[in-house]
Amino acid sequence: AMREPKIAPDGKHFAAIQSLGGKPALVIYEVDAAKDAKPVVVPSTDATVDNFEWASAERLVVRLKMSMRAVQDTRMRTWYRSMSLKADGSGLVMLLNDNPMFQYNIYTAYLAAKNLADPNTIFIPIVVRNFVAKDRNQYQVPEERLRQDLFKVNLDTGHGSTFATGIWTTQDWIMDGSGKLVARIDQTQQ
């Protein structure tokens, strides 16, 4: 069975999640390929293929899911990682690989936006610790200990950097498709 089939923006490939050995795998097909052509398969390993999205005609972003205990935590939690790869299966890179804080996160696969002018750039919202500076000291207000920032991520290198900083009530971001931030959506308290 095939689920979530999605065609690449240029129409040359399509991908879907299929079962491989009882686990979900991402399978990438070339449109109008020769009869003997084999699809590219990205299997689940220690992490499960959860979802994917075409970031450009050439690259996909794949969300991986795993359940594990975090350091100093007694509960089993679901964590996500995102990786990028080319339609031919090459160029595999873990996104946000330059920041160990994002090794496991609950948001590292949700694409807030793509930059149509730069197909190697995507924007991902990330929940981060919210440190507030006051009188040369950093502190955390308990109800404001986390916030959602927007990160700009390079699909070829996996490196990311803060593009916009949210506040503790930030819920989402709206981009214009060319790398410009249009709005930040904050939740009201009512």
Side-chain angles (χ1 to χ4, degrees):
M2 184 182 291
R3 69 179 172 96
E4 300 182 44
K6 298 173 186 170
I7 194 154
D10 65 0
K12 294 182 180 178
H13 294 87
F14 81 92
I17 296 177
Q18 293 180 269
S19 181
L20 180 68
K23 291 184 175 182
L26 176 67
V27 184
I28 307 166
Y29 297 90
E30 188 176 341
V31 174
D32 295 328
K35 287 184 180 185
D36 61 341
K38 301 223 184 281
V40 172
V41 177
V42 180
S44 291
T45 54
D46 59 335
T48 303
V49 173
D50 183 59
N51 201 344
F52 73 96
E53 185 171 340
W54 286 98
S56 67
E58 179 65 21
R59 282 198 164 272
L60 297 99
V61 172
V62 183
R63 181 168 73 176
L64 304 173
K65 174 173 75 171
M66 66 175 47
S67 295
M68 59 184 271
R69 285 185 179 86
V71 176
Q72 299 178 346
D73 193 351
T74 59
R75 296 173 287 178
M76 186 70 75
R77 297 180 187 263
T78 300
W79 301 93
Y80 295 95
R81 285 301 316 255
S82 296
M83 64 181 188
S84 169
L85 74 152
K86 292 183 179 181
D88 65 4
S90 68
L92 180 68
V93 63
M94 196 63 66
L95 299 184
L96 298 166
N97 58 24
D98 57 335
N99 192 327
M101 184 171 119
F102 302 132
Q103 185 173 5
Y104 301 104
N105 200 294
I106 58 172
Y107 269 75
T108 59
Y110 159 62
L111 272 62
K114 303 171 194 173
N115 184 349
L116 300 176
D118 179 4
N120 288 324
T121 299
I122 60 171
F123 298 89
I124 300 175
I126 303 283
V127 175
V128 298
R129 287 192 174 108
N130 187 28
F131 289 104
V132 179
K134 185 175 184 179
D135 298 329
R136 290 179 277 181
N137 294 314
Q138 287 187 344
Y139 70 97
Q140 287 182 294
V141 177
E143 65 272 9
E144 300 177 15
R145 65 183 181 81
L146 299 174
R147 70 171 190 257
Q148 186 188 102
D149 287 355
L150 187 63
F151 278 71
K152 181 178 181 179
V153 182
N154 181 294
L155 293 172
D156 289 327
T157 65
H159 295 181
S161 60
T162 304
F163 181 75
T165 302
I167 59 175
W168 67 284
T169 58
T170 300
Q171 298 296 305
D172 207 352
W173 304 88
I174 298 174
M175 306 284 292
D176 71 353
S178 65
K180 292 185 177 56
L181 181 62
V182 175
R184 182 183 78 200
I185 300 172
D186 295 332
Q187 177 182 354
T188 62
Q189 296 304 305
Q190 298 175 347

